[in-house]
Amino acid sequence: MTNTPVILTCELTKSYGSLAAVQELNLSVGPHRITAFLGQNGAGKSTTIKMLLGMVRPSCGEGTVLGKRITNAQENRDMRRKVAYVAENKPLYGYMTVEQTIRFASSFYSDWRTDVARRLLNEYKLPPQRKVKALSKGMRTKLALLLAFARRPELLILDEPSEGLDPVGIEHLLQMLVAQASEGVAIFFSSHQIAEVERVADHVCILDNGHLLVDASLDQLRQSYRRIDLVFASAPPEREFRIIGVEKIQTKGHQMSVFASKNAEAVIQRARDLDAVSVEVAPVGLRDIFLETVKEN
Amino acid sequence: MFFKLNPTTGQPLYLQLMQQIRHAAETGALRDGDQLPGIRTLAEELVVSPNTVAKAYSELEHDGLLELRQGSGAFVTVKRRTRSLTDHVQVARRRLRDLIEQLREEGLLDEEIKRAFEAELLYPAEIVSK
């Protein structure tokens, strides 16, 4: 197993006039893992993905996908053969039927798996003869996913793949992601479904205002983020807790709540040294990590 | 075997899986020689990254509780030592029951006892693991 990143960017930047959509992004996405790409609407996720695929030209900086430079047209074509991509708006030809769309897509890819396409058509309950323009949003998403999952790519990039899907559809999507990952496919996907991300992802990147704020494994986040609720006999000594790893302190009367991205032990130790009446430590879920990180920025 | 992983407990999923497999071996729910599902099968069943299952299996192999055979899966190896742990756990549970009974008599509510336990469990584990 090599550990060469499947996606690597160096100071990747995209500006639209005075608006910087993505700023000096240094991203390194490892192989053999599921990486989730989180951020609010307009954080720069889709712009980043489009730059990676060569669909949007970076203003400056550079990057490679599967070792191919994103700004080189020839290398870009080579790369696209090994990357399956599901776009955010699921662009499909409205005048084609489901069956025609699948046949059309299959003719482009040498890694196409007819058996998988047929199985998914069944599982997704897509009507083969219906025109794409007459599909519901959820069915459209399923068709776009089918076109990606029927291939055997080295890297799978999905932009908001769960949009429009009901809970059953989302569960099926996650199982497909796990199955693909089991076959050695690296997965990079953006999502707003934090609860789902928290289950399947190995690694999380949080983008806000074009900046990368968090780039860590979920195991690491689970083990290091803590909320420590303290009660003191007198006014809480807030200043004493401004140490490395403490991201936020809230005080209300005799109560103090500390949000720490690491170093929770030091906070607890300090609380005991300062005679806190009560010390309660709680883990922090990905939703709170995301919300706090984005708010602080 | 039924496993249940909780993504929000602040503990890596692979550790949860390891503990549940170990617990199953200690209670006898898993016996010596029992076969566990393959990495892909279990990952799809639990809807977690295959790396989570792979890491749990390989750590358990390192601990001597699982034997990974090329191409044929993971097999439980329960030694006598594991068995004696079951007795330990039972003794510990009896002591815990006594302690909780005592705390209740002293007027603590179950919710308060639970919170105190959780706080204490989270506290030293982090210091000990350093």
Side-chain angles (χ1 to χ4, degrees):
Chain A
M1 274 206 241
T2 63
N3 277 313
T4 319
V6 287
I7 296 173
L8 191 63
T9 73
C10 179
E11 310 282 303
L12 195 65
T13 301
K14 180 68 193 180
S15 315
Y16 295 103
S18 62
L19 177 83
V22 176
Q23 294 179 56
E24 296 168 358
L25 184 67
N26 293 306
L27 193 63
S28 173
V29 176
H32 317 294
R33 59 160 93 132
I34 302 176
T35 304
F37 196 31
L38 305 180
Q40 304 182 70
N41 295 328
K45 299 185 304 274
S46 293
T47 305
T48 302
I49 289 176
K50 285 178 182 157
M51 281 195 281
L52 294 174
L53 292 162
M55 297 158 74
V56 164
R57 204 172 169 79
S59 306
C60 62
E62 52 198 303
T64 59
V65 175
L66 299 176
K68 311 284 185 196
R69 283 173 295 166
I70 60 179
T71 47
N72 179 296
Q74 178 58 45
E75 292 187 23
N76 192 257
R77 268 194 296 279
D78 292 345
M79 175 271 286
R80 285 297 291 270
R81 262 183 229 121
K82 299 175 195 161
V83 176
Y85 166 55
V86 178
E88 188 184 18
N89 48 0
K90 322 288 180 284
L92 299 161
Y93 296 108
Y95 58 85
M96 284 190 190
T97 65
V98 168
E99 198 171 38
Q100 284 167 339
T101 304
I102 294 172
R103 196 161 355 107
F104 181 70
S106 71
S107 63
F108 285 99
Y109 303 111
S110 54
D111 58 358
W112 190 264
R113 298 182 287 178
T114 311
D115 52 326
V116 176
R118 199 173 305 134
R119 178 169 63 80
L120 287 175
L121 186 66
N122 246 325
E123 287 177 10
Y124 285 155
K125 300 188 181 73
L126 291 169
Q129 303 309 331
R130 192 172 303 173
K131 289 237 161 65
V132 167
K133 65 179 173 218
L135 293 178
S136 70
K137 194 175 180 190
M139 282 184 173
R140 226 183 134 86
T141 299
K142 284 176 180 170
L143 180 56
L145 290 170
L146 182 153
L147 300 183
F149 289 142
R151 294 180 53 197
R152 195 193 285 278
E154 283 179 34
L155 169 65
L156 184 57
I157 297 180
L158 309 109
D159 199 353
E160 300 287 344
S162 55
E163 225 191 356
L165 295 179
D166 59 23
V168 176
I170 291 179
E171 196 67 12
H172 188 274
L173 163 69
L174 295 177
Q175 274 168 346
M176 284 304 294
L177 292 184
V178 169
Q180 292 270 326
S182 301
E183 289 177 7
V185 180
I187 297 172
F188 184 69
F189 77 109
S190 75
S191 182
H192 290 302
Q193 305 287 336
I194 291 183
E196 275 76 39
V197 164
E198 202 164 31
R199 288 169 63 200
V200 299
D202 293 302
H203 202 91
V204 178
C205 297
I206 298 180
L207 193 70
D208 196 49
N209 276 327
H211 290 285
L212 192 62
L213 298 184
V214 172
D215 179 6
S217 80
L218 258 173
D219 282 348
Q220 198 184 321
L221 295 180
R222 284 194 177 102
Q223 281 181 308
S224 57
Y225 275 81
R226 291 290 181 265
R227 190 182 299 283
I228 304 125
D229 289 315
L230 307 168
V231 181
F232 288 91
S234 52
E238 200 177 309
R239 264 214 331 242
E240 300 285 339
F241 287 88
R242 301 207 177 282
I243 57 174
I244 291 170
V246 171
E247 305 291 335
K248 192 179 171 187
I249 300 177
Q250 280 174 299
T251 311
K252 222 179 240 173
H254 288 190
Q255 281 180 312
M256 187 165 101
S257 183
V258 179
F259 182 77
S261 62
K262 56 184 177 199
N263 239 348
E265 315 87 84
V267 174
I268 295 161
Q269 196 55 55
R270 197 154 288 196
R272 301 212 161 179
D273 293 346
L274 293 165
D275 295 323
V277 184
S278 158
V279 180
E280 281 182 18
V281 189
V284 184
L286 186 58
R287 177 176 303 279
D288 286 338
I289 294 176
F290 177 73
L291 291 175
E292 294 287 356
T293 310
V294 169
K295 223 191 297 168
E296 286 301 290
N297 191 43
Chain B
M1 233 4 261
F2 300 106
F3 300 110
K4 200 162 168 43
L5 306 185
N6 184 341
T8 56
T9 56
Q11 195 186 30
L13 298 181
Y14 81 91
L15 275 179
Q16 296 182 32
L17 185 57
M18 278 177 72
Q19 282 164 7
Q20 290 176 25
I21 294 173
R22 190 176 285 132
H23 182 73
E26 283 164 8
T27 55
L30 279 176
R31 304 281 164 95
D32 192 51
D34 278 355
Q35 186 176 6
L36 287 175
I39 290 171
R40 178 179 175 157
T41 311
L42 190 54
E44 281 185 50
E45 194 180 303
L46 299 172
V47 198
V48 296
S49 166
N51 292 324
T52 300
V53 181
K55 189 159 184 192
Y57 279 10
S58 97
E59 296 271 319
L60 286 170
E61 183 188 36
H62 184 256
D63 295 350
L65 199 86
L66 271 190
E67 194 188 321
L68 302 180
R69 292 182 206 152
Q70 195 82 48
S72 54
F75 295 85
V76 179
T77 49
V78 181
K79 300 197 188 82
R80 225 175 268 125
R81 194 190 60 85
T82 321
R83 277 276 175 232
S84 72
L85 271 174
T86 319
D87 304 332
H88 273 310
V89 171
Q90 269 169 4
V91 171
R93 288 193 73 148
R94 270 198 294 276
R95 283 169 62 191
L96 269 180
R97 206 175 303 144
D98 291 345
L99 176 61
I100 289 170
E101 213 40 63
Q102 197 185 328
L103 292 172
R104 278 177 180 152
E105 272 167 24
E106 286 167 17
L108 258 73
L109 297 172
D110 281 8
E111 187 54 35
E112 288 166 341
I113 299 174
K114 193 173 148 201
R115 282 222 302 253
F117 259 100
E118 279 170 1
E120 289 304 320
L121 278 174
L122 271 163
Y123 168 58
E126 274 163 9
I127 301 223
V128 170
S129 72
K130 282 281 132 154

